[in-house]
Amino acid sequence: MITVDISLNDEGQVTDVIMDGHADFDEHGKDIICAGASAVLFGSVNAIIGLTSEKPDIDYEDDGGYFHIRSVDTNNKEAQLILQAMLVSLQTLEDEYKAYIKLNYK
């Protein structure tokens, strides 16, 4: 199962996101849940880097299964909007595939 741990501050802004694990929906290379979650996460991070002044701190494993983004300025409205949009997309995946992806808000 993919777990996504999302840390929010008191104003509901995203401060930290960790995606960990594999969906195991299908074999490697055919797993639409892993592909969808990865596309949402990587697309969002690329949008933050490409469209805002943010340069977030990122940690990941080369073989997949772990990605951590942190140090996004909570005062950067554009970056926060992208992160909120990312959460909406991940929530949609969770709604449809609860057995394979779980979002945890902290």
Side-chain angles (χ1 to χ4, degrees):
M1 174 178 276
I2 297 171
T3 58
V4 185
D5 294 328
I6 303 122
S7 298
L8 305 171
N9 66 13
D10 291 339
E11 289 79 37
Q13 296 160 315
V14 178
T15 60
D16 195 68
V17 177
I18 298 172
M19 184 181 288
D20 193 26
H22 294 281
D24 296 322
F25 179 80
D26 203 341
E27 65 184 77
H28 181 74
K30 295 183 180 181
D31 194 321
I32 62 170
I33 309 306
C34 277
S38 296
V40 167
L41 182 72
F42 283 100
S44 298
V45 170
N46 287 337
I48 290 169
I49 293 168
L51 299 173
T52 75
S53 60
E54 290 298 305
K55 302 296 180 223
D57 185 18
I58 300 168
D59 187 24
Y60 61 93
E61 292 181 2
D62 289 333
D63 62 348
Y66 179 82
F67 194 95
H68 186 181
I69 178 173
R70 57 190 167 276
S71 303
V72 176
D73 184 359
T74 56
N75 293 317
N76 187 317
K77 292 179 183 178
E78 293 86 5
Q80 285 296 315
L81 182 60
I82 293 167
L83 288 169
Q84 294 296 330
M86 177 188 77
L87 295 182
V88 169
S89 294
L90 291 173
Q91 288 167 352
T92 302
L93 276 173
E94 181 186 40
D95 289 346
E96 293 294 321
Y97 300 99
K98 289 184 187 333
Y100 303 99
I101 183 168
K102 172 80 173 124
L103 277 62
N104 303 306
Y105 291 91
K106 300 178 176 189

